[in-house]
Amino acid sequence: MKPKNAQQKQIMALSKRLNPITEKQVTWAYNHCFEHIAYRTKSTLTCGDCGHTWKSEATLADTLCGCTCPHCGAELKVNDTRKRTFKQCYYFCVVTTCKGFQVVRIVMIKSTSKKGSAATYFYKEVAQRWITPDGEIITVARLRGMGFYADLWCFDSDMEIRPHHDIYNIISDCEHYPRVRVLPIFKRNGFKGSFHNASPVKFLQSLLTDSKTETLLKAGQYAILPHFVHYPHRMGSVWNAVKICIRNGYIIKDATMWCDYIDLLKHFDKDTQNAKYVCPADLKAEHDKLVAMRNRQRERQNRERERRREIERQESERKKLERMQENERLYAEMKSKFFDLVFSDGVLRIQVLQSVQEFYEEGKTMHHCVFTNDYYLKPDSLVFSARIGEKRIETIEVSLETLQIVQSRGECNQDTQYHKQIINLVRKNIGLVQQRMSA
Ligand SMILES: [Zn+2]
């Protein structure tokens, strides 16, 4: 991207004049950032740094704290691994200044260790975060490949002004070379050399743009400081409580636990403006007390929810039963005058279904919808079951309006070999139905 304004042009010109990253800085990073390992098999250890292999009589317990390579003197972490290569990739930064700008230079370092040979190293400066005196960040970086993988850099691309991308913040949150140079304004705002576990870029920007950071720094509230640097919006809700701590000279030592504790105080409507609550002498004890209280409350709420659900379930059962009773009553009212009708030819026996319960059993046995479609509620429809002995053969619907057979169906709505015989038997006796209607 071409520099768009005078400031960006100035930064591009200054960027080109920065000294290369020094060998001393890179050596520090290799020693400090990488994990240095020894490959262990049954009785031998191999140094991942120099490739030296030696016999080891040490037991597992002896090497839990690591070992020292007898050849190169590296302190090594013992890895029981069959893997023969070990690749690592990290970022570190150099915090420096340049003509009134604060600059954080981000360097990628890689190591590849192959068992039995000396590890190889690689480094390249991939980005610079230029912080302007009013707290704006301008990023000069190499080109990145597509995707979100942090290590996809085009190493031979030029360092240029690049539009913002979250990846720059992610890689900037890294270890920094211990020798740090900052603009005088940062010292005035309370910076004494430590970033207190915050990302140096975010920390410095915050120290220019957010007075809370300066206040926390000067009050020695180092544990909670990085939370404000990284999540200023989220932390806004506890700022007043933090001010109470500062006023009372109470130093927050475990920031995460303290924030959880404040959330719990708020949950229980305790006064978070009261030092008695927000500055507990024994934070862990008070925190645990509230957590236990919250858990008991949750259990109570769960039990209450279960109880309500059970009441609802019973209520719905009761309604269902009521509805069924009401349906039985309606059905009997409409159709009881047909209940004693029986047509028989000596083989088949055809009878009106006597209750809603019978509709249910008929539908279930015959796998059709005589029950589910509420045939028992249809005033102009009369439903018979044709049986041989106890066996259900077909279900017959007769229209009380036309006295015609609307349908007669066997299991799964299929006709049976008795279909015609059933139709004839019903037709022959339809006069009896008519008689009952006019009775
Ligand atoms: Zn070695």
Side-chain angles (χ1 to χ4, degrees):
M1 197 171 97
K2 279 227 148 53
K4 273 196 288 216
N5 52 38
Q7 189 173 57
Q8 291 188 356
K9 276 182 193 144
Q10 186 194 3
I11 285 173
M12 267 323 295
L14 291 173
S15 172
K16 288 191 185 10
R17 279 170 35 197
L18 283 176
N19 288 326
I21 298 293
T22 66
E23 200 150 314
K24 205 172 151 199
Q25 289 163 339
V26 173
T27 306
W28 170 84
Y30 287 160
N31 289 328
H32 186 82
C33 302
F34 289 134
E35 192 168 60
H36 298 267
I37 64 149
Y39 300 87
R40 171 160 65 188
T41 53
K42 269 182 196 141
S43 59
T44 64
L45 287 161
T46 303
C47 173
D49 277 16
C50 72
H52 176 69
T53 297
W54 69 102
K55 274 212 175 321
S56 167
E57 305 300 327
T59 62
L60 186 64
D62 290 338
T63 49
L64 268 182
C65 312
C67 66
T68 308
C69 172
H71 183 250
C72 72
E75 294 295 327
L76 305 168
K77 178 172 169 264
V78 177
N79 257 18
D80 281 301
T81 177
R82 297 176 80 101
K83 284 208 319 209
R84 301 186 59 82
T85 58
F86 191 53
K87 288 185 183 183
Q88 298 178 77
C89 173
Y90 292 103
Y91 292 90
F92 78 97
C93 64
V94 174
V95 180
T96 187
T97 57
C98 182
K99 300 276 178 228
F101 290 99
Q102 184 64 47
V103 191
V104 178
R105 307 175 69 179
I106 319 288
V107 184
M108 180 199 222
I109 47 169
K110 276 178 165 183
S111 84
T112 306
S113 141
K114 279 201 177 65
K115 188 176 173 181
S117 43
T120 57
Y121 298 100
F122 171 84
Y123 76 93
K124 194 88 170 174
E125 181 177 25
V126 292
Q128 294 160 358
R129 316 296 303 279
W130 291 70
I131 304 170
T132 68
D134 51 2
E136 198 196 336
I137 297 176
I138 291 162
T139 302
V140 173
R142 295 191 196 281
L143 210 56
R144 274 180 60 254
M146 295 290 283
F148 208 80
Y149 295 103
D151 56 351
L152 285 179
W153 297 96
C154 307
F155 291 117
D156 51 2
S157 62
D158 289 332
M159 292 288 271
E160 280 182 21
I161 303 256
R162 308 280 176 193
H164 177 74
H165 192 289
D166 277 344
I167 202 81
Y168 301 130
N169 283 338
I170 292 170
I171 63 170
S172 299
D173 192 359
C174 60
E175 300 277 350
H176 64 92
Y177 182 65
R179 240 190 79 110
V180 162
R181 278 171 61 189
V182 296
L183 297 175
I185 174 79
F186 292 107
K187 287 178 186 155
R188 277 203 298 281
N189 288 0
F191 181 75
K192 290 208 179 70
S194 170
F195 299 103
H196 302 291
N197 295 318
S199 153
V201 172
K202 285 276 173 195
F203 180 98
L204 293 169
Q205 183 189 33
S206 175
L207 200 46
L208 286 179
T209 56
D210 189 343
S211 63
K212 292 190 184 82
T213 305
E214 184 181 341
T215 306
L216 290 168
L217 198 55
K218 288 182 171 164
Q221 296 283 6
Y222 303 136
I224 204 156
L225 181 85
H227 294 254
F228 276 93
V229 168
H230 287 280
Y231 316 107
H233 297 293
R234 200 196 304 164
M235 293 300 286
S237 66
V238 298
W239 177 241
N240 283 333
V242 170
K243 279 198 296 193
I244 305 277
C245 293
I246 293 173
R247 215 171 297 148
N248 286 275
Y250 178 87
I251 298 289
I252 300 161
K253 294 200 183 79
D254 185 330
T256 309
M257 188 187 281
W258 184 84
C259 288
D260 286 348
Y261 168 71
I262 297 297
D263 284 345
L264 284 163
L265 285 178
K266 283 182 185 162
H267 173 82
F268 287 114
D269 283 327
K270 302 283 189 217
D271 183 6
T272 53
Q273 297 299 300
N274 186 334
K276 182 181 110 184
Y277 289 119
V278 299
C279 309
D282 187 341
L283 171 64
K284 184 166 180 351
E286 294 303 316
H287 167 270
D288 291 357
K289 216 190 282 175
L290 288 189
V291 168
M293 228 165 106
R294 181 75 181 105
N295 287 340
R296 283 198 299 277
Q297 187 185 49
R298 277 219 181 84
E299 276 161 30
R300 258 197 323 275
Q301 286 165 341
N302 285 347
R303 276 200 301 276
E304 178 58 22
R305 206 165 25 244
E306 278 306 308
R307 204 178 60 83
R308 274 202 302 273
R309 243 181 243 153
E310 178 58 21
I311 290 172
E312 273 164 28
R313 200 186 58 76
Q314 284 174 3
E315 180 69 3
S316 107
E317 284 290 306
R318 198 180 55 74
K319 281 197 180 132
K320 211 163 112 190
L321 191 68
E322 256 178 35
R323 214 160 39 237
M324 267 172 67
Q325 284 167 344
E326 175 63 8
N327 287 341
E328 288 288 7
R329 199 185 58 72
L330 280 173
Y331 182 65
E333 194 180 291
M334 288 190 291
K335 308 288 165 63
S336 61
K337 58 188 167 201
F338 304 102
F339 284 176
D340 62 339
L341 281 179
V342 182
F343 316 146
S344 178
D345 61 2
V347 179
L348 288 157
R349 184 186 147 87
I350 300 179
Q351 197 172 5
V352 173
L353 291 177
Q354 307 281 304
S355 64
V356 178
Q357 180 62 27
E358 274 201 32
F359 272 81
Y360 171 71
E361 283 156 14
E362 185 85 1
K364 198 173 152 197
T365 316
M366 304 289 273
H367 306 290
H368 58 40
C369 60
V370 70
F371 174 75
T372 38
N373 283 13
D374 299 345
Y375 275 81
Y376 45 87
L377 289 178
K378 297 184 178 177
D380 61 347
S381 143
L382 190 59
V383 179
F384 295 80
S385 177
R387 299 179 190 180
I388 298 175
E390 288 305 306
K391 187 169 166 52
R392 295 167 209 265
I393 308 299
E394 290 194 10
T395 310
I396 309 108
E397 184 195 3
V398 169
S399 162
L400 291 177
E401 215 170 359
T402 62
L403 292 175
Q404 297 291 311
I405 296 169
V406 181
Q407 52 183 335
S408 180
R409 295 175 190 276
E411 220 171 298
C412 303
N413 290 322
Q414 301 296 308
D415 287 353
T416 66
Q417 53 170 316
Y418 301 101
H419 186 65
K420 277 201 176 126
Q421 201 179 332
I422 290 166
I423 301 277
N424 288 334
L425 190 54
V426 174
R427 277 198 188 136
K428 214 170 83 189
N429 290 288
I430 205 76
L432 294 171
V433 174
Q434 197 171 20
Q435 262 180 30
R436 291 291 197 288
M437 284 172 70
S438 44

